[in-house]
PDB file of all heavy atoms in Angstrom:
ATOM      1  N   ILE A  87       0.852  -1.197   0.000  1.00  0.00           N
ATOM      2  CA  ILE A  87       0.000   0.000   0.000  1.00  0.00           C
ATOM      3  C   ILE A  87       0.883   1.241   0.000  1.00  0.00           C
ATOM      4  O   ILE A  87       1.840   1.340   0.773  1.00  0.00           O
ATOM      5  CB  ILE A  87      -0.921   0.021   1.231  1.00  0.00           C
ATOM      6  CG1 ILE A  87      -1.878  -1.172   1.194  1.00  0.00           C
ATOM      7  CG2 ILE A  87      -1.705   1.335   1.308  1.00  0.00           C
ATOM      8  CD1 ILE A  87      -2.718  -1.313   2.454  1.00  0.00           C
ATOM      9  N   GLU A  88       0.556   2.197  -0.840  1.00  0.00           N
ATOM     10  CA  GLU A  88       1.269   3.476  -0.877  1.00  0.00           C
ATOM     11  C   GLU A  88       0.492   4.496  -0.040  1.00  0.00           C
ATOM     12  O   GLU A  88      -0.694   4.738  -0.287  1.00  0.00           O
ATOM     13  CB  GLU A  88       1.399   3.984  -2.310  1.00  0.00           C
ATOM     14  CG  GLU A  88       2.075   5.347  -2.401  1.00  0.00           C
ATOM     15  CD  GLU A  88       2.000   5.954  -3.798  1.00  0.00           C
ATOM     16  OE1 GLU A  88       1.326   5.358  -4.669  1.00  0.00           O
ATOM     17  OE2 GLU A  88       2.586   7.036  -4.002  1.00  0.00           O
ATOM     18  N   ILE A  89       1.145   5.082   0.947  1.00  0.00           N
ATOM     19  CA  ILE A  89       0.521   6.120   1.769  1.00  0.00           C
ATOM     20  C   ILE A  89       0.656   7.444   1.017  1.00  0.00           C
ATOM     21  O   ILE A  89       1.750   7.996   0.894  1.00  0.00           O
ATOM     22  CB  ILE A  89       1.179   6.216   3.154  1.00  0.00           C
ATOM     23  CG1 ILE A  89       1.095   4.868   3.885  1.00  0.00           C
ATOM     24  CG2 ILE A  89       0.515   7.316   3.981  1.00  0.00           C
ATOM     25  CD1 ILE A  89      -0.317   4.361   4.109  1.00  0.00           C
ATOM     26  N   VAL A  90      -0.466   7.959   0.496  1.00  0.00           N
ATOM     27  CA  VAL A  90      -0.424   9.155  -0.352  1.00  0.00           C
ATOM     28  C   VAL A  90      -0.609  10.444   0.443  1.00  0.00           C
ATOM     29  O   VAL A  90      -0.344  11.535  -0.070  1.00  0.00           O
ATOM     30  CB  VAL A  90      -1.487   9.060  -1.459  1.00  0.00           C
ATOM     31  CG1 VAL A  90      -1.165   7.906  -2.400  1.00  0.00           C
ATOM     32  CG2 VAL A  90      -2.893   8.906  -0.878  1.00  0.00           C
ATOM     33  N   ALA A  91      -1.081  10.325   1.679  1.00  0.00           N
ATOM     34  CA  ALA A  91      -1.256  11.515   2.522  1.00  0.00           C
ATOM     35  C   ALA A  91      -1.307  11.074   3.979  1.00  0.00           C
ATOM     36  O   ALA A  91      -1.653   9.924   4.279  1.00  0.00           O
ATOM     37  CB  ALA A  91      -2.536  12.265   2.153  1.00  0.00           C
ATOM     38  N   GLU A  92      -0.955  12.000   4.875  1.00  0.00           N
ATOM     39  CA  GLU A  92      -0.979  11.713   6.305  1.00  0.00           C
ATOM     40  C   GLU A  92      -1.651  12.865   7.044  1.00  0.00           C
ATOM     41  O   GLU A  92      -1.463  14.028   6.690  1.00  0.00           O
ATOM     42  CB  GLU A  92       0.442  11.529   6.848  1.00  0.00           C
ATOM     43  CG  GLU A  92       1.196  10.349   6.262  1.00  0.00           C
ATOM     44  CD  GLU A  92       2.608  10.252   6.817  1.00  0.00           C
ATOM     45  OE1 GLU A  92       3.319  11.283   6.804  1.00  0.00           O
ATOM     46  OE2 GLU A  92       2.988   9.165   7.272  1.00  0.00           O
ATOM     47  N   ARG A  93      -2.413  12.529   8.060  1.00  0.00           N
ATOM     48  CA  ARG A  93      -3.034  13.532   8.911  1.00  0.00           C
ATOM     49  C   ARG A  93      -2.794  13.141  10.368  1.00  0.00           C
ATOM     50  O   ARG A  93      -2.963  11.980  10.736  1.00  0.00           O
ATOM     51  CB  ARG A  93      -4.544  13.647   8.639  1.00  0.00           C
ATOM     52  CG  ARG A  93      -4.902  14.056   7.211  1.00  0.00           C
ATOM     53  CD  ARG A  93      -4.460  15.483   6.910  1.00  0.00           C
ATOM     54  NE  ARG A  93      -4.888  15.917   5.585  1.00  0.00           N
ATOM     55  CZ  ARG A  93      -4.190  15.748   4.463  1.00  0.00           C
ATOM     56  NH1 ARG A  93      -2.999  15.135   4.528  1.00  0.00           N
ATOM     57  NH2 ARG A  93      -4.652  16.161   3.297  1.00  0.00           N
ATOM     58  N   THR A  94      -2.419  14.128  11.182  1.00  0.00           N
ATOM     59  CA  THR A  94      -2.096  13.872  12.585  1.00  0.00           C
ATOM     60  C   THR A  94      -2.933  14.779  13.474  1.00  0.00           C
ATOM     61  O   THR A  94      -3.067  15.974  13.206  1.00  0.00           O
ATOM     62  CB  THR A  94      -0.598  14.124  12.848  1.00  0.00           C
ATOM     63  OG1 THR A  94       0.175  13.269  11.999  1.00  0.00           O
ATOM     64  CG2 THR A  94      -0.252  13.831  14.295  1.00  0.00           C
ATOM     65  N   GLU A  95      -3.455  14.207  14.559  1.00  0.00           N
ATOM     66  CA  GLU A  95      -4.352  14.968  15.430  1.00  0.00           C
ATOM     67  C   GLU A  95      -4.061  14.660  16.899  1.00  0.00           C
ATOM     68  O   GLU A  95      -3.751  13.525  17.255  1.00  0.00           O
ATOM     69  CB  GLU A  95      -5.801  14.577  15.110  1.00  0.00           C
ATOM     70  CG  GLU A  95      -6.830  15.559  15.576  1.00  0.00           C
ATOM     71  CD  GLU A  95      -7.926  15.709  14.518  1.00  0.00           C
ATOM     72  OE1 GLU A  95      -8.436  14.682  14.048  1.00  0.00           O
ATOM     73  OE2 GLU A  95      -8.241  16.855  14.168  1.00  0.00           O
ATOM     74  N   VAL A  96      -4.166  15.688  17.732  1.00  0.00           N
ATOM     75  CA  VAL A  96      -4.122  15.522  19.183  1.00  0.00           C
ATOM     76  C   VAL A  96      -5.467  15.991  19.710  1.00  0.00           C
ATOM     77  O   VAL A  96      -5.727  17.180  19.822  1.00  0.00           O
ATOM     78  CB  VAL A  96      -2.982  16.337  19.829  1.00  0.00           C
ATOM     79  CG1 VAL A  96      -2.997  16.152  21.345  1.00  0.00           C
ATOM     80  CG2 VAL A  96      -1.642  15.919  19.259  1.00  0.00           C
ATOM     81  N   GLU A  97      -6.328  15.033  19.976  1.00  0.00           N
ATOM     82  CA  GLU A  97      -7.692  15.378  20.386  1.00  0.00           C
ATOM     83  C   GLU A  97      -8.355  14.150  20.976  1.00  0.00           C
ATOM     84  O   GLU A  97      -8.079  13.023  20.590  1.00  0.00           O
ATOM     85  CB  GLU A  97      -8.503  15.875  19.177  1.00  0.00           C
ATOM     86  CG  GLU A  97      -9.950  16.231  19.464  1.00  0.00           C
ATOM     87  CD  GLU A  97     -10.105  17.256  20.565  1.00  0.00           C
ATOM     88  OE1 GLU A  97     -10.003  18.456  20.285  1.00  0.00           O
ATOM     89  OE2 GLU A  97     -10.328  16.844  21.715  1.00  0.00           O
ATOM     90  N   THR A  98      -9.244  14.374  21.938  1.00  0.00           N
ATOM     91  CA  THR A  98      -9.988  13.278  22.524  1.00  0.00           C
ATOM     92  C   THR A  98     -10.924  12.662  21.504  1.00  0.00           C
ATOM     93  O   THR A  98     -11.396  13.335  20.584  1.00  0.00           O
ATOM     94  CB  THR A  98     -10.818  13.759  23.730  1.00  0.00           C
ATOM     95  OG1 THR A  98     -11.557  12.638  24.259  1.00  0.00           O
ATOM     96  CG2 THR A  98     -11.804  14.841  23.332  1.00  0.00           C
ATOM     97  N   GLY A  99     -11.203  11.375  21.668  1.00  0.00           N
ATOM     98  CA  GLY A  99     -12.135  10.702  20.777  1.00  0.00           C
ATOM     99  C   GLY A  99     -13.506  10.559  21.381  1.00  0.00           C
ATOM    100  O   GLY A  99     -14.381   9.915  20.825  1.00  0.00           O
ATOM    101  N   LYS A 100     -13.740  11.160  22.557  1.00  0.00           N
ATOM    102  CA  LYS A 100     -15.005  10.991  23.259  1.00  0.00           C
ATOM    103  C   LYS A 100     -16.075  11.916  22.700  1.00  0.00           C
ATOM    104  O   LYS A 100     -15.794  13.006  22.227  1.00  0.00           O
ATOM    105  CB  LYS A 100     -14.825  11.262  24.751  1.00  0.00           C
ATOM    106  CG  LYS A 100     -13.898  10.273  25.447  1.00  0.00           C
ATOM    107  CD  LYS A 100     -13.789  10.601  26.924  1.00  0.00           C
ATOM    108  CE  LYS A 100     -12.879   9.610  27.629  1.00  0.00           C
ATOM    109  NZ  LYS A 100     -12.739   9.920  29.072  1.00  0.00           N
ATOM    110  N   GLY A 101     -17.316  11.449  22.816  1.00  0.00           N
ATOM    111  CA  GLY A 101     -18.443  12.309  22.473  1.00  0.00           C
ATOM    112  C   GLY A 101     -19.001  12.050  21.092  1.00  0.00           C
ATOM    113  O   GLY A 101     -18.287  11.689  20.162  1.00  0.00           O
ATOM    114  N   ALA A 102     -20.303  12.210  20.962  1.00  0.00           N
ATOM    115  CA  ALA A 102     -20.954  11.961  19.683  1.00  0.00           C
ATOM    116  C   ALA A 102     -20.567  12.980  18.629  1.00  0.00           C
ATOM    117  O   ALA A 102     -20.683  12.738  17.435  1.00  0.00           O
ATOM    118  CB  ALA A 102     -22.482  11.967  19.883  1.00  0.00           C
ATOM    119  N   ASP A 103     -20.105  14.167  19.070  1.00  0.00           N
ATOM    120  CA  ASP A 103     -19.740  15.214  18.124  1.00  0.00           C
ATOM    121  C   ASP A 103     -18.236  15.262  17.917  1.00  0.00           C
ATOM    122  O   ASP A 103     -17.684  16.287  17.528  1.00  0.00           O
ATOM    123  CB  ASP A 103     -20.244  16.575  18.602  1.00  0.00           C
ATOM    124  CG  ASP A 103     -19.612  16.985  19.931  1.00  0.00           C
ATOM    125  OD1 ASP A 103     -19.121  16.086  20.649  1.00  0.00           O
ATOM    126  OD2 ASP A 103     -19.609  18.180  20.234  1.00  0.00           O
ATOM    127  N   ALA A 104     -17.553  14.135  18.178  1.00  0.00           N
ATOM    128  CA  ALA A 104     -16.091  14.131  18.138  1.00  0.00           C
ATOM    129  C   ALA A 104     -15.546  14.558  16.788  1.00  0.00           C
ATOM    130  O   ALA A 104     -14.495  15.186  16.711  1.00  0.00           O
ATOM    131  CB  ALA A 104     -15.556  12.737  18.497  1.00  0.00           C
ATOM    132  N   LEU A 105     -16.227  14.226  15.690  1.00  0.00           N
ATOM    133  CA  LEU A 105     -15.723  14.587  14.365  1.00  0.00           C
ATOM    134  C   LEU A 105     -15.659  16.098  14.201  1.00  0.00           C
ATOM    135  O   LEU A 105     -14.764  16.619  13.534  1.00  0.00           O
ATOM    136  CB  LEU A 105     -16.602  13.969  13.273  1.00  0.00           C
ATOM    137  CG  LEU A 105     -16.086  14.110  11.834  1.00  0.00           C
ATOM    138  CD1 LEU A 105     -14.694  13.493  11.698  1.00  0.00           C
ATOM    139  CD2 LEU A 105     -17.045  13.469  10.851  1.00  0.00           C
ATOM    140  N   ASP A 106     -16.587  16.838  14.850  1.00  0.00           N
ATOM    141  CA  ASP A 106     -16.563  18.294  14.780  1.00  0.00           C
ATOM    142  C   ASP A 106     -15.315  18.860  15.453  1.00  0.00           C
ATOM    143  O   ASP A 106     -14.860  19.952  15.106  1.00  0.00           O
ATOM    144  CB  ASP A 106     -17.807  18.882  15.467  1.00  0.00           C
ATOM    145  CG  ASP A 106     -19.086  18.515  14.737  1.00  0.00           C
ATOM    146  OD1 ASP A 106     -19.003  18.243  13.522  1.00  0.00           O
ATOM    147  OD2 ASP A 106     -20.141  18.481  15.380  1.00  0.00           O
ATOM    148  N   ARG A 107     -14.769  18.105  16.424  1.00  0.00           N
ATOM    149  CA  ARG A 107     -13.579  18.567  17.131  1.00  0.00           C
ATOM    150  C   ARG A 107     -12.303  17.958  16.554  1.00  0.00           C
ATOM    151  O   ARG A 107     -11.226  18.154  17.119  1.00  0.00           O
ATOM    152  CB  ARG A 107     -13.690  18.198  18.615  1.00  0.00           C
ATOM    153  CG  ARG A 107     -14.903  18.787  19.311  1.00  0.00           C
ATOM    154  CD  ARG A 107     -14.768  18.668  20.830  1.00  0.00           C
ATOM    155  NE  ARG A 107     -14.493  17.299  21.255  1.00  0.00           N
ATOM    156  CZ  ARG A 107     -15.439  16.389  21.491  1.00  0.00           C
ATOM    157  NH1 ARG A 107     -16.717  16.697  21.296  1.00  0.00           N
ATOM    158  NH2 ARG A 107     -15.115  15.184  21.891  1.00  0.00           N
ATOM    159  N   ARG A 108     -12.436  17.220  15.473  1.00  0.00           N
ATOM    160  CA  ARG A 108     -11.277  16.559  14.882  1.00  0.00           C
ATOM    161  C   ARG A 108     -11.159  16.901  13.395  1.00  0.00           C
ATOM    162  O   ARG A 108     -11.453  16.102  12.512  1.00  0.00           O
ATOM    163  CB  ARG A 108     -11.392  15.043  15.086  1.00  0.00           C
ATOM    164  CG  ARG A 108     -11.230  14.665  16.552  1.00  0.00           C
ATOM    165  CD  ARG A 108     -11.731  13.285  16.883  1.00  0.00           C
ATOM    166  NE  ARG A 108     -10.970  12.249  16.223  1.00  0.00           N
ATOM    167  CZ  ARG A 108     -11.225  10.939  16.346  1.00  0.00           C
ATOM    168  NH1 ARG A 108     -12.227  10.542  17.125  1.00  0.00           N
ATOM    169  NH2 ARG A 108     -10.495  10.045  15.728  1.00  0.00           N
ATOM    170  N   PRO A 109     -10.737  18.135  13.105  1.00  0.00           N
ATOM    171  CA  PRO A 109     -10.652  18.586  11.716  1.00  0.00           C
ATOM    172  C   PRO A 109      -9.678  17.770  10.877  1.00  0.00           C
ATOM    173  O   PRO A 109      -9.879  17.630   9.661  1.00  0.00           O
ATOM    174  CB  PRO A 109     -10.192  20.044  11.844  1.00  0.00           C
ATOM    175  CG  PRO A 109      -9.524  20.117  13.185  1.00  0.00           C
ATOM    176  CD  PRO A 109     -10.299  19.183  14.056  1.00  0.00           C
ATOM    177  N   GLU A 110      -8.638  17.217  11.492  1.00  0.00           N
ATOM    178  CA  GLU A 110      -7.682  16.419  10.710  1.00  0.00           C
ATOM    179  C   GLU A 110      -8.308  15.120  10.227  1.00  0.00           C
ATOM    180  O   GLU A 110      -8.008  14.652   9.125  1.00  0.00           O
ATOM    181  CB  GLU A 110      -6.432  16.131  11.549  1.00  0.00           C
ATOM    182  CG  GLU A 110      -5.607  17.358  11.881  1.00  0.00           C
ATOM    183  CD  GLU A 110      -5.124  18.082  10.628  1.00  0.00           C
ATOM    184  OE1 GLU A 110      -4.748  17.404   9.648  1.00  0.00           O
ATOM    185  OE2 GLU A 110      -5.125  19.324  10.629  1.00  0.00           O
ATOM    186  N   LEU A 111      -9.186  14.536  11.033  1.00  0.00           N
ATOM    187  CA  LEU A 111      -9.891  13.330  10.586  1.00  0.00           C
ATOM    188  C   LEU A 111     -10.848  13.668   9.448  1.00  0.00           C
ATOM    189  O   LEU A 111     -10.949  12.943   8.461  1.00  0.00           O
ATOM    190  CB  LEU A 111     -10.661  12.698  11.744  1.00  0.00           C
ATOM    191  CG  LEU A 111     -11.495  11.455  11.379  1.00  0.00           C
ATOM    192  CD1 LEU A 111     -10.640  10.388  10.697  1.00  0.00           C
ATOM    193  CD2 LEU A 111     -12.169  10.886  12.631  1.00  0.00           C
ATOM    194  N   ALA A 112     -11.555  14.803   9.592  1.00  0.00           N
ATOM    195  CA  ALA A 112     -12.445  15.232   8.518  1.00  0.00           C
ATOM    196  C   ALA A 112     -11.659  15.467   7.230  1.00  0.00           C
ATOM    197  O   ALA A 112     -12.112  15.108   6.126  1.00  0.00           O
ATOM    198  CB  ALA A 112     -13.185  16.511   8.932  1.00  0.00           C
ATOM    199  N   ASP A 113     -10.466  16.038   7.374  1.00  0.00           N
ATOM    200  CA  ASP A 113      -9.628  16.290   6.201  1.00  0.00           C
ATOM    201  C   ASP A 113      -9.123  14.978   5.610  1.00  0.00           C
ATOM    202  O   ASP A 113      -8.999  14.836   4.386  1.00  0.00           O
ATOM    203  CB  ASP A 113      -8.451  17.180   6.595  1.00  0.00           C
ATOM    204  CG  ASP A 113      -7.763  17.785   5.379  1.00  0.00           C
ATOM    205  OD1 ASP A 113      -8.467  18.147   4.418  1.00  0.00           O
ATOM    206  OD2 ASP A 113      -6.528  17.881   5.381  1.00  0.00           O
ATOM    207  N   ALA A 114      -8.810  14.002   6.480  1.00  0.00           N
ATOM    208  CA  ALA A 114      -8.376  12.691   5.995  1.00  0.00           C
ATOM    209  C   ALA A 114      -9.492  12.017   5.196  1.00  0.00           C
ATOM    210  O   ALA A 114      -9.235  11.398   4.149  1.00  0.00           O
ATOM    211  CB  ALA A 114      -7.964  11.809   7.174  1.00  0.00           C
ATOM    212  N   LEU A 115     -10.717  12.149   5.671  1.00  0.00           N
ATOM    213  CA  LEU A 115     -11.861  11.590   4.940  1.00  0.00           C
ATOM    214  C   LEU A 115     -11.989  12.249   3.570  1.00  0.00           C
ATOM    215  O   LEU A 115     -12.217  11.571   2.551  1.00  0.00           O
ATOM    216  CB  LEU A 115     -13.143  11.797   5.742  1.00  0.00           C
ATOM    217  CG  LEU A 115     -13.307  10.964   7.013  1.00  0.00           C
ATOM    218  CD1 LEU A 115     -14.478  11.480   7.835  1.00  0.00           C
ATOM    219  CD2 LEU A 115     -13.507   9.504   6.666  1.00  0.00           C
ATOM    220  N   ALA A 116     -11.844  13.574   3.527  1.00  0.00           N
ATOM    221  CA  ALA A 116     -11.957  14.294   2.262  1.00  0.00           C
ATOM    222  C   ALA A 116     -10.840  13.887   1.302  1.00  0.00           C
ATOM    223  O   ALA A 116     -11.069  13.680   0.099  1.00  0.00           O
ATOM    224  CB  ALA A 116     -11.915  15.800   2.515  1.00  0.00           C
ATOM    225  N   ALA A 117      -9.619  13.763   1.822  1.00  0.00           N
ATOM    226  CA  ALA A 117      -8.483  13.366   0.981  1.00  0.00           C
ATOM    227  C   ALA A 117      -8.684  11.963   0.431  1.00  0.00           C
ATOM    228  O   ALA A 117      -8.359  11.675  -0.727  1.00  0.00           O
ATOM    229  CB  ALA A 117      -7.184  13.446   1.787  1.00  0.00           C
ATOM    230  N   ALA A 118      -9.221  11.069   1.257  1.00  0.00           N
ATOM    231  CA  ALA A 118      -9.463   9.696   0.813  1.00  0.00           C
ATOM    232  C   ALA A 118     -10.546   9.641  -0.252  1.00  0.00           C
ATOM    233  O   ALA A 118     -10.457   8.859  -1.207  1.00  0.00           O
ATOM    234  CB  ALA A 118      -9.844   8.830   2.013  1.00  0.00           C
ATOM    235  N   ARG A 119     -11.572  10.488  -0.099  1.00  0.00           N
ATOM    236  CA  ARG A 119     -12.620  10.517  -1.124  1.00  0.00           C
ATOM    237  C   ARG A 119     -12.051  10.995  -2.456  1.00  0.00           C
ATOM    238  O   ARG A 119     -12.391  10.457  -3.524  1.00  0.00           O
ATOM    239  CB  ARG A 119     -13.773  11.429  -0.680  1.00  0.00           C
ATOM    240  CG  ARG A 119     -14.759  10.761   0.253  1.00  0.00           C
ATOM    241  CD  ARG A 119     -16.031  11.572   0.384  1.00  0.00           C
ATOM    242  NE  ARG A 119     -15.773  12.860   1.029  1.00  0.00           N
ATOM    243  CZ  ARG A 119     -15.840  13.064   2.336  1.00  0.00           C
ATOM    244  NH1 ARG A 119     -16.141  12.071   3.143  1.00  0.00           N
ATOM    245  NH2 ARG A 119     -15.604  14.258   2.834  1.00  0.00           N
ATOM    246  N   ARG A 120     -11.190  12.021  -2.399  1.00  0.00           N
ATOM    247  CA  ARG A 120     -10.594  12.535  -3.637  1.00  0.00           C
ATOM    248  C   ARG A 120      -9.709  11.483  -4.303  1.00  0.00           C
ATOM    249  O   ARG A 120      -9.710  11.343  -5.529  1.00  0.00           O
ATOM    250  CB  ARG A 120      -9.776  13.795  -3.346  1.00  0.00           C
ATOM    251  CG  ARG A 120     -10.602  15.012  -2.982  1.00  0.00           C
ATOM    252  CD  ARG A 120      -9.754  16.278  -3.021  1.00  0.00           C
ATOM    253  NE  ARG A 120      -8.675  16.248  -2.042  1.00  0.00           N
ATOM    254  CZ  ARG A 120      -8.781  16.681  -0.790  1.00  0.00           C
ATOM    255  NH1 ARG A 120      -9.936  17.188  -0.363  1.00  0.00           N
ATOM    256  NH2 ARG A 120      -7.745  16.632   0.040  1.00  0.00           N
ATOM    257  N   ALA A 121      -8.963  10.755  -3.502  1.00  0.00           N
ATOM    258  CA  ALA A 121      -8.054   9.743  -4.047  1.00  0.00           C
ATOM    259  C   ALA A 121      -8.757   8.408  -4.290  1.00  0.00           C
ATOM    260  O   ALA A 121      -8.147   7.494  -4.840  1.00  0.00           O
ATOM    261  CB  ALA A 121      -6.874   9.544  -3.093  1.00  0.00           C
ATOM    262  N   LYS A 122     -10.024   8.313  -3.857  1.00  0.00           N
ATOM    263  CA  LYS A 122     -10.791   7.072  -3.986  1.00  0.00           C
ATOM    264  C   LYS A 122     -10.046   5.904  -3.346  1.00  0.00           C
ATOM    265  O   LYS A 122      -9.827   4.853  -3.966  1.00  0.00           O
ATOM    266  CB  LYS A 122     -11.100   6.776  -5.452  1.00  0.00           C
ATOM    267  CG  LYS A 122     -11.970   7.844  -6.118  1.00  0.00           C
ATOM    268  CD  LYS A 122     -12.280   7.502  -7.561  1.00  0.00           C
ATOM    269  CE  LYS A 122     -13.164   8.581  -8.182  1.00  0.00           C
ATOM    270  NZ  LYS A 122     -13.476   8.288  -9.612  1.00  0.00           N
ATOM    271  N   CYS A 123      -9.651   6.135  -2.082  1.00  0.00           N
ATOM    272  CA  CYS A 123      -8.899   5.111  -1.358  1.00  0.00           C
ATOM    273  C   CYS A 123      -9.347   5.111   0.102  1.00  0.00           C
ATOM    274  O   CYS A 123     -10.070   6.006   0.537  1.00  0.00           O
ATOM    275  CB  CYS A 123      -7.396   5.381  -1.464  1.00  0.00           C
ATOM    276  SG  CYS A 123      -6.841   6.863  -0.566  1.00  0.00           S
ATOM    277  N   PRO A 124      -8.934   4.132   0.876  1.00  0.00           N
ATOM    278  CA  PRO A 124      -9.336   4.077   2.284  1.00  0.00           C
ATOM    279  C   PRO A 124      -8.470   4.953   3.186  1.00  0.00           C
ATOM    280  O   PRO A 124      -7.412   5.448   2.778  1.00  0.00           O
ATOM    281  CB  PRO A 124      -9.145   2.598   2.636  1.00  0.00           C
ATOM    282  CG  PRO A 124      -8.028   2.152   1.751  1.00  0.00           C
ATOM    283  CD  PRO A 124      -8.220   2.906   0.456  1.00  0.00           C
ATOM    284  N   VAL A 125      -8.934   5.127   4.415  1.00  0.00           N
ATOM    285  CA  VAL A 125      -8.149   5.721   5.489  1.00  0.00           C
ATOM    286  C   VAL A 125      -7.602   4.569   6.322  1.00  0.00           C
ATOM    287  O   VAL A 125      -8.343   3.653   6.690  1.00  0.00           O
ATOM    288  CB  VAL A 125      -9.004   6.655   6.370  1.00  0.00           C
ATOM    289  CG1 VAL A 125      -8.218   7.095   7.603  1.00  0.00           C
ATOM    290  CG2 VAL A 125      -9.458   7.862   5.573  1.00  0.00           C
TER     291      VAL A 125
END
């Protein structure tokens, strides 16, 4: 597997709204959609 991008975050994973507090994960999802690949 070729790692085409990396995202790093320092943030708690607790809470139902955790994605709102984790912009790097949201960005990783967007990058994966553009590259049509998994995270």
Side-chain angles (χ1 to χ4, degrees):
I87 297 174
E88 177 189 6
I89 302 300
V90 295
E92 297 178 310
R93 299 293 184 271
T94 301
E95 199 140 49
V96 179
E97 178 56 84
T98 179
K100 296 181 179 179
D103 62 339
L105 188 58
D106 295 335
R107 301 194 307 273
R108 291 163 65 181
E110 294 301 321
L111 177 55
D113 196 38
L115 289 169
R119 278 194 295 269
R120 290 193 297 271
K122 298 181 179 179
C123 69
V125 171

